[in-house]
Amino acid sequence: MTTVHDVAASSTSLAPERFTASGNRTASELRTLGEIEQRLLWLSTMTVHHCNHVRINESGMKVGGHQASTASLVTVMTALWFDALQSDDRVSVKPTAAPALYSIAYLLGALEKHDMESLRGFGGLQAYPSRTKNGPVVDYSTGSMGLGANASVWDALTRRYLTDHFGQSAIGRHYALLGDAELDEGAVWEAVLDPMVGQLGAVTWVVDVNRQALDRPVARSTTRRIRKLFDAAGWQVIDLEYGQVLESLFHEPGGEELRQLLNTMTNREFHRLLRGSPQEVRSALTTGRAPWSALSKLVASLDNKHLLAAIRNVGGHDLPTLLNAFARIDDSRPTVILAHTIKGYGLPIEAHADNHSALLGVEQIRKLADLSGMDIDQPWERFDDRSPEGLRCKEAALRLRRRDATSLTPPSPPADLRRTPKGRASTQQAFGSLLLDLKRSAPDVAARLVTVSPDVSSTTNLGGWINKAGVWEPAPGTDQDGDHGLLRWDSTAEGQHIELGIAETNLVGLLTELGSSWSRWGQPLFPVGTVYDAFVTRALEPWSFGLYSGGQSILVGTPAGTALGPEGGAHQSVITPSIGLEQPGCVAYEPAFALDFEWCFLAALGNLGKPGGESAYFRLSTRAIDQTLAAVPHDSVQRATRRRQAVAGGYVLHKAEVPSVTIVAMGAVLPEALTAVEELQRGGFGADLVCVTSADLLYRAARARSGLGDAPHWILRDLFPGQRALPMVTVLDGHPHTLAFLAALHQVEVTSLGVTEFGQSGDIADVFRHHGIDAAGIAMAALDLIE
């Protein structure tokens, strides 16, 4: 069979005299790996071809795929899965190389023919690796640039945490295969530069340096700069620029001149060289040099076949070089391997500027089948079990077989701590108090709590918890100087708070992996992260992707809204309530009172760390409210009813004898809503007041009542009975459309009040008045509807 090395004129097949076996790998073993590499190239290319040109496509639209981006990583993935990888290791694969990941799973027996034919089909193999949709062949969901690589870092941190707290084994490595263009994403460097990451020796990134982005070749090489950035962050840097063929040529007369020439070429010049004919390559290497120069003689000594092999002999496509690199990993610190590759390697479209989304034609696929020794009509053939390649696949499958990760059942939080707050308090204060109360009243639950903050612990009310539960780091005890303020920062192996730098992307990335520990490592955690609510939008995309990836956690956005008046408009969140309502995989709460928060938070904890669980988002306020306004029932049955309603989305706080209007309020504006009810009542107009704790759950109930979803909808009858369908005023300290849907329940008139502009500094009363969400504004809106 002709291998990919023959197709691309690579070193391993074409010039065996120019390299030696890697370690104890013999030339025979390397040839076996080369055959597997070729089969992976064929299978991954064919899966994309099948979904575009073979499978019935009723819409006629291009299905797409990334044959070139997959091909650039095939050699790396062959060396990793079929030699270096161990069962306790985990790998994040760049999204555009998903076909190669699926092809490896197929050769190892984890996928079948019908799976390979389902790529990008409904219910089939996802376009990009998805842990929730295509597990267990996928370790990390990828598909948003950079976030998959970051996941390997935060999972390594999670695994270290589990080792310290529950004796979990942490002997495996966490690999990430990412494209060099992904390093343009700022989120990558936020993770790399966090001080704790430098302590994670289990992390190994392999960067696919193919020097091409989506639209074009990268204008100039950035490898040296990347090298310096990783080195400055404390990473081990292994640069695989050239393979063994070129490295041997560099030691011959004229070789150093050849090295300098290749090093100083622009990316575009190098890609033109890769696409050139032998004559064009010779001309590019020797133009301006005398025929008797050392470089000219070196080039002349190579026949056309070996010349093209040498030019393509970059480190990321040289198996011995890759195997040596994996053997050199320093497990005392994170490692990055810069594997120089060729985009489209082994395919007719290699190194072409427009190959990112290019698809091979039928005739090109036929030629690749011939070169690969495959039958295009029987494209999914595995190796014969008795062949060296078949035996290698069987050995890899056995080596990578994982122990069943039986997940422990998480402890159930109490539904009610049986206290009734009095005096003035904010929901943010209630948050800090509840964490401490759990330490006392539910220690088994508190033992699974882990809090995370991007340098906003004190301002999000985590101080008491931190002093009680302690701080955790991968290498505890590194800063035990005893110089403390209000918070004690000495870290221990038993600590339960993780303090990150100011990077919201890192916060939600770590929450995702902590929240995946139950399904990945069998140990459920209750991860809780705090962030200024205005900056939830800064973390929105990685947070959303983390929810898609199956992480179950609680995100606390606090302080929130224009109630944070003195801080100015930049810190006053407006759109986050509707984000919570619209975010899949997460239930959003915005309670007004401390006890409402407590009930809802305990319920949210009970949804974490298990199959069918769900994340939660709490929007909390620093505004202190008189807790007696909640009018919590003294009767135990009525209290239980109130709790059940609060957890389901809301409750009726005031019921008029003869109502003329319904006021629906959520969050920090409840005192203004109550005052408006009193003013209306003094004017002779009765008003019902509904206190909403979760617009999200009420919206789900409304959809379910219409037959769209299976959420319970009894809460709507309790809050909005048909016999009391009246004109409605909705109000919250956020965008008004968040609650506007409620008027559709009984087709009543509605005025939706909220915040639609950027805020400004000021007293809460002034700011609320400015936005029309003060008591007078609510009452006037109600009177306009009544009259």
Side-chain angles (χ1 to χ4, degrees):
M1 182 191 303
T2 304
T3 71
V4 64
H5 299 287
D6 299 308
V7 177
S10 177
S11 60
T12 305
S13 295
L14 290 178
E17 71 281 0
R18 293 193 184 274
F19 73 88
T20 57
S22 172
N24 59 357
R25 281 79 166 186
T26 65
S28 174
E29 287 179 298
L30 292 172
R31 280 193 292 270
T32 297
L33 291 174
E35 295 289 349
I36 293 173
E37 178 189 359
Q38 177 64 31
R39 186 63 59 89
L40 287 177
L41 177 67
W42 163 256
L43 289 172
S44 56
T45 304
M46 188 61 196
T47 57
V48 177
H49 178 78
H50 186 276
C51 66
N52 282 278
H53 298 292
V54 180
R55 192 171 67 212
I56 296 174
N57 182 354
E58 295 180 355
S59 71
M61 295 180 65
K62 176 183 176 181
V63 178
H66 300 89
Q67 292 172 326
S69 295
T70 298
S72 67
L73 261 186
V74 163
T75 319
V76 171
M77 295 175 75
T78 299
L80 189 56
W81 263 268
F82 293 91
D83 191 276
L85 205 63
Q86 302 300 316
S87 62
D88 283 334
D89 298 338
R90 298 295 183 268
V91 189
S92 168
V93 178
K94 74 173 187 177
T96 51
L101 176 62
Y102 301 146
S103 297
I104 288 172
Y106 178 70
L107 287 182
L108 298 183
L111 294 177
E112 298 301 330
K113 172 185 172 183
H114 67 272
D115 296 308
M116 302 299 284
E117 294 177 341
S118 73
L119 178 69
R120 295 187 171 227
F122 185 79
L125 296 176
Q126 296 297 293
Y128 308 121
S130 171
R131 185 168 179 262
T132 54
K133 292 180 171 62
N134 291 138
V137 301
V138 174
D139 290 335
Y140 302 99
S141 297
T142 59
S144 186
M145 294 296 103
L147 298 184
N150 289 0
S152 67
V153 170
W154 305 126
D155 188 29
L157 197 73
T158 296
R159 203 170 180 186
R160 186 81 68 86
Y161 182 92
L162 293 175
T163 298
D164 284 350
H165 289 79
F166 305 106
Q168 190 80 12
S169 170
I171 60 174
R173 288 178 180 160
H174 300 258
Y175 291 91
L177 313 181
L178 64 159
D180 52 352
E182 286 190 71
L183 297 180
D184 291 341
E185 289 285 354
V188 169
W189 299 107
E190 290 183 7
V192 168
L193 294 174
D194 190 273
M196 279 190 292
V197 172
Q199 305 173 46
L200 297 175
V203 173
T204 297
W205 284 9
V206 183
V207 181
D208 175 11
V209 186
N210 59 46
R211 300 194 272 195
Q212 284 186 249
L214 188 153
D215 289 331
R216 57 183 172 80
V218 178
R220 59 187 178 84
S221 176
T222 59
T223 309
R224 290 180 181 83
R225 179 167 58 89
I226 292 169
R227 232 183 262 132
K228 291 179 180 179
L229 287 169
F230 277 106
D231 182 66
W235 290 49
Q236 176 192 21
V237 181
I238 301 176
D239 197 351
L240 307 184
E241 196 160 8
Y242 303 112
Q244 290 197 0
V245 170
L246 272 175
E247 288 291 347
S248 65
L249 286 176
F250 293 155
H251 288 87
E252 297 184 15
E256 189 56 36
E257 192 176 354
L258 175 61
R259 184 200 298 270
Q260 291 301 317
L261 179 60
L262 294 176
N263 284 348
T264 56
M265 278 185 176
T266 67
N267 291 339
R268 288 190 175 91
E269 289 172 335
F270 182 66
H271 281 87
R272 281 197 295 271
L273 196 69
L274 293 174
R275 298 195 303 270
S277 66
Q279 293 71 27
E280 290 170 329
V281 172
R282 292 182 191 280
S283 175
L285 295 178
T286 59
T287 295
R289 292 172 172 81
W292 56 84
S293 70
L295 178 56
S296 296
K297 288 182 178 180
L298 179 61
V299 172
S301 72
L302 301 171
D303 61 29
N304 289 342
K305 187 177 182 182
H306 286 157
L307 176 66
L308 296 182
I311 293 304
R312 283 162 174 74
N313 184 229
V314 290
H317 294 306
D318 190 81
L319 284 167
T321 299
L322 284 164
L323 296 173
N324 279 324
F326 288 131
R328 290 163 51 198
I329 293 172
D330 177 4
D331 285 326
S332 68
R333 55 178 175 153
T335 296
V336 61
I337 299 174
L338 303 177
H340 293 248
T341 64
I342 300 170
K343 194 167 183 174
Y345 181 72
L347 302 178
I349 56 176
E350 70 173 18
H352 281 276
D354 300 323
N355 65 9
H356 183 83
S357 298
L359 298 174
L360 269 60
V362 175
E363 286 306 312
Q364 291 174 315
I365 286 289
R366 290 188 183 279
K367 290 180 181 178
L368 182 62
D370 291 340
L371 290 168
S372 304
M374 299 296 290
D375 182 351
I376 196 171
D377 296 321
Q378 302 290 330
W380 312 116
E381 183 182 354
R382 292 189 176 102
F383 291 110
D384 187 300
D385 287 343
R386 295 164 295 179
S387 68
E389 296 76 22
L391 292 172
R392 190 78 178 201
C393 290
K394 186 180 297 184
E395 179 276 328
L398 290 173
R399 169 169 41 86
L400 299 176
R401 182 176 295 169
R402 294 171 178 172
R403 299 182 296 272
D404 291 335
T406 303
S407 181
L408 298 176
T409 301
S412 298
D416 190 346
L417 297 185
R418 307 302 304 175
R419 62 180 183 180
T420 304
K422 299 177 181 179
R424 299 181 65 82
S426 70
T427 49
Q428 180 175 294
Q429 289 173 316
F431 167 57
S433 298
L434 178 58
L435 294 180
L436 289 174
D437 286 343
L438 284 172
K439 198 80 172 169
R440 292 187 291 266
S441 60
D444 57 337
V445 173
R448 299 273 167 182
L449 274 171
V450 52
T451 58
V452 187
S453 171
D455 199 31
V456 292
S457 297
S458 58
T459 48
T460 55
N461 262 66
L462 285 176
W465 164 258
I466 290 173
N467 287 341
K468 183 71 174 178
V471 177
W472 179 87
E473 290 183 1
T478 56
D479 186 23
Q480 306 282 354
D481 59 11
D483 185 14
H484 300 297
L486 295 176
L487 297 182
R488 294 191 293 271
W489 289 109
D490 292 345
S491 58
T492 68
E494 296 78 29
Q496 291 179 255
H497 175 75
I498 302 175
E499 185 79 357
L500 298 171
I502 306 174
E504 290 79 8
T505 296
N506 287 350
L507 168 73
V508 295
L510 179 53
L511 284 179
T512 296
E513 298 312 317
L514 291 167
S516 299
S517 64
W518 67 274
S519 58
R520 183 177 279 125
W521 305 115
Q523 287 285 357
L525 292 173
F526 298 146
V528 180
T530 63
V531 62
Y532 291 166
D533 193 66
F535 302 145
V536 165
T537 52
R538 202 168 186 171
L540 179 56
E541 196 270 337
W543 178 44
S544 180
F545 192 75
L547 295 172
Y548 167 81
S549 303
Q552 297 176 11
S553 64
I554 295 176
L555 182 65
V556 177
T558 184
T562 61
L564 191 63
E567 286 291 325
H571 285 66
Q572 296 172 7
S573 53
V574 175
I575 65 173
T576 48
S578 58
I579 286 175
L581 186 151
E582 296 160 10
Q583 178 62 63
C586 175
V587 57
Y589 294 98
E590 187 170 351
F593 298 107
L595 189 55
D596 293 346
F597 164 77
E598 179 181 301
W599 286 335
C600 294
F601 192 86
L602 291 172
L605 282 180
N607 276 330
L608 300 181
K610 59 186 180 183
E614 187 174 28
S615 293
Y617 161 51
F618 283 83
R619 189 174 189 254
L620 305 183
S621 174
T622 51
R623 187 189 190 192
I625 292 177
D626 180 1
Q627 297 301 304
T628 62
L629 297 178
V632 179
H634 297 291
D635 178 78
S636 61
V637 175
Q638 292 178 343
R639 180 187 175 100
T641 299
R642 166 71 71 86
R643 179 184 57 77
R644 180 170 179 258
Q645 291 175 332
V647 170
Y651 52 89
V652 177
L653 184 56
H654 176 80
K655 191 172 184 180
E657 290 186 14
V658 182
S660 300
V661 67
T662 299
I663 296 176
V664 182
M666 182 170 75
V669 297
L670 253 296
E672 281 68 28
L674 277 165
T675 300
V677 169
E678 293 170 359
E679 291 178 359
L680 289 169
Q681 191 166 325
R682 284 194 293 268
F685 300 100
D688 288 347
L689 176 59
V690 175
C691 176
V692 172
T693 56
S694 173
D696 182 11
L697 290 177
L698 296 185
Y699 185 70
R700 297 186 197 189
R703 283 176 53 81
R705 196 181 70 167
S706 300
L708 302 172
D710 56 0
H713 49 83
W714 58 265
I715 187 65
L716 299 179
R717 294 191 300 272
D718 286 9
L719 271 57
F720 307 103
Q723 64 272 24
R724 296 177 80 88
L726 299 164
M728 180 181 293
V729 176
T730 65
V731 58
L732 74 155
D733 187 7
H735 200 281
H737 98 273
T738 308
L739 295 174
F741 72 92
L742 292 170
L745 295 175
H746 297 298
Q747 302 298 313
V748 298
E749 287 187 87
V750 64
T751 296
S752 295
L753 304 179
V755 182
T756 58
E757 301 173 356
F758 293 113
Q760 57 181 316
S761 296
D763 182 84
I764 291 179
D766 293 331
V767 174
F768 277 17
R769 188 181 307 112
H770 171 73
H771 292 288
I773 57 175
D774 60 333
I778 298 170
M780 288 299 297
L783 288 172
D784 287 343
L785 289 175
I786 295 170
E787 298 175 351

